[in-house]
Amino acid sequence: MLRAYLGGSHIRNSILVSLCMLVAAGAIAVLDLAATRLYLGRIRALVEENPATTSYMERATRSGRGPRTWQWTPLDSIPRVAACAVVFSEDRNFFRIGTLDWVSQKAMFRRVIGGDLSRGSSGIAQQLARNLYLGPQRTPRRKAREYLLAWQLSHTLTKARQLEIYLNVVEWGNGIWGIGDASRHYFGVEPAELRLSQSVMLASLLPAPRRGLERTTSEFVADRMDVTAWMLTRALLVDDLTYRATTERLAGLRTGMRAGLTPAHAMARVDSIMGPEPRAFALNGADTVSLRDACHYMRR
C-alpha cells in the first residue's frame, strides 16, 4: 500500500510539475508577445528613418568588434545585380512570399526534430528582426520572438525597404557592417562600383561573415557562388557570355587564393589574364522593371 501510495504521489507530482511548466511556458509566450509589440513604434519609424544602431552592433561593440566606418548606402546606390545576388544567396523567394518561406521552415523543423541544431532557415525578414532587436541565441524562445518581429516588419515595411535596411546593417566581417563598408574594405570601391564577381563574392560571405573572403575557396561556397551567378542569368540581369566569364573569373580567384595569394593579388592576377571586369551593370531594361521582378530568378 505504501509503495502504491508513493508511486501514485510521484505520478501526481510529475503531472503537477508538467502543468506548472506548461503554465510558465504559456505565460512566457504571452509576455514575449506583449514585449514584441513594444517594438512596433520603432518598426514604424523605420518607414522613414534609418536605424542608428542594431542589437548585433551593440553586442559586437561590447566585445571590440563594433562598426569601424559604418555609412548608410541608399538602395538606389547599390547595383541591382549586387542586391539581387544577396537575395538569391540568402532568401531567393523573398519578394514572392509573405513573412516566411514555409518550405524552408518545414525543412528546419524536420532537422530540429532530428536533433540537428547546426543551422537555421531564416529568411531576410527573420534575419533583419534578429539583427535589429534580438541576439544570436539558438533557443525556441528567441525563434518565436524572431517570427513575431519578422511578421511586424513584413507588415509595416515594403520589401524594398526591408532589403535596403538589411544590406546596411548585416555583418560582413569583424567590424565590417553594411554593404558600403564591405565594398570599401574588401575591394576598395564604393558599392555603386562593384563588379559582378565582387557582388557574388560578397553575397557568399553572409552565412559566415567573420571567415572573410578566404572562405570562398571552399568547394561548398564555390558551388554557392556559381548558383548565385546562374540565378542572376535566369533573372535576365546578366547575359550568358557575362555569366560564363564570371564563373571563370571566380574560379581563377579561388585558384590564386588557394595558392596563397591575397584576394586583392588574386583579383589583379585574374584581371591581367582576362582583362578588367566592368562594373556590375544589369542588362538594358533590367533597371526599368520593379526590384521585385528584377530579383525573380525564373524570369527567363
Side-chain angles (χ1 to χ4, degrees), residues 8-9 31-34 36 68 116 123 151 153 162 175 177 204 238 246 264 267 284:
S9 176
L31 289 173
D32 277 348
L33 179 60
T36 54
R68 302 174 185 176
D116 181 5
W151 187 89
L153 285 165
Q162 291 177 60
W177 300 83
S204 73
V238 299
T246 300
M267 192 166 295
N284 290 334

Side-chain angles (χ1 to χ4, degrees), residues 120-137:
S121 296
S122 296
I124 286 175
Q126 294 164 266
Q127 292 184 51
L128 184 57
R130 186 168 65 245
N131 272 269
L132 286 171
Y133 306 120
L134 303 175
Q137 303 88 349

Side-chain angles (χ1 to χ4, degrees), residues 81 196-197 229 233 237-249 274 277-281 283:
V81 169
L196 178 56
S197 65
T233 309
L237 288 167
V238 299
D239 57 27
D240 291 337
L241 182 62
T242 303
Y243 163 68
R244 288 192 291 270
T246 300
T247 55
E248 291 176 11
R249 193 176 294 273
M274 298 184 64
E277 184 181 13
R279 288 165 58 182
F281 288 117
L283 289 174

Side-chain angles (χ1 to χ4, degrees), residues 74-295:
L75 190 59
D76 291 343
S77 298
I78 301 171
R80 285 197 163 185
V81 169
C84 291
V86 171
V87 171
F88 294 152
S89 179
E90 290 296 290
D91 189 359
R92 64 184 63 180
N93 293 311
F94 172 65
F95 280 100
R96 320 203 79 78
I97 60 174
T99 302
L100 304 175
D101 184 340
W102 287 108
V103 173
S104 64
Q105 294 305 303
K106 289 177 182 177
M108 180 199 68
F109 286 133
R110 283 195 292 268
R111 290 196 301 270
V112 171
I113 292 172
D116 181 5
L117 302 177
S118 60
R119 57 193 175 96
S121 296
S122 296
I124 286 175
Q126 294 164 266
Q127 292 184 51
L128 184 57
R130 186 168 65 245
N131 272 269
L132 286 171
Y133 306 120
L134 303 175
Q137 303 88 349
R138 293 187 176 183
T139 64
R141 183 182 180 187
R142 195 271 293 162
K143 196 69 177 178
R145 298 184 71 187
E146 179 184 296
Y147 284 141
L148 292 169
L149 288 167
W151 187 89
Q152 290 182 348
L153 285 165
S154 296
H155 286 76
T156 305
L157 308 177
T158 65
K159 289 286 187 178
R161 180 58 172 161
Q162 291 177 60
L163 181 59
E164 179 181 38
I165 297 173
Y166 178 81
L167 290 170
N168 276 281
V169 304
V170 74
E171 184 179 15
W172 252 291
N174 285 322
I176 304 165
W177 300 83
I179 192 168
D181 199 9
S183 301
R184 290 184 286 271
H185 174 80
Y186 290 116
F187 307 119
V189 300
E190 293 298 317
E193 300 170 342
L194 281 169
R195 308 177 189 181
L196 178 56
S197 65
Q198 294 169 340
S199 300
V200 173
M201 291 177 78
L202 283 182
S204 73
L205 292 181
L206 291 177
R210 295 176 201 167
R211 298 183 187 179
L213 288 180
E214 288 75 11
R215 176 177 182 270
T216 61
T217 60
S218 74
E219 291 300 327
F220 173 78
V221 178
D223 290 342
R224 185 185 179 99
M225 288 193 292
D226 288 345
V227 168
T228 298
W230 174 81
M231 293 175 78
L232 290 168
T233 309
R234 296 290 297 177
L236 299 179
L237 288 167
V238 299
D239 57 27
D240 291 337
L241 182 62
T242 303
Y243 163 68
R244 288 192 291 270
T246 300
T247 55
E248 291 176 11
R249 193 176 294 273
L250 290 170
L253 289 169
R254 290 192 294 271
T255 298
M257 286 190 287
R258 286 170 183 161
L261 296 179
T262 65
H265 285 106
M267 192 166 295
R269 178 182 176 185
V270 172
D271 285 349
S272 68
I273 297 172
M274 298 184 64
E277 184 181 13
R279 288 165 58 182
F281 288 117
L283 289 174
N284 290 334
D287 288 331
T288 63
V289 300
S290 67
L291 186 60
R292 178 182 186 274
D293 289 336
C295 292

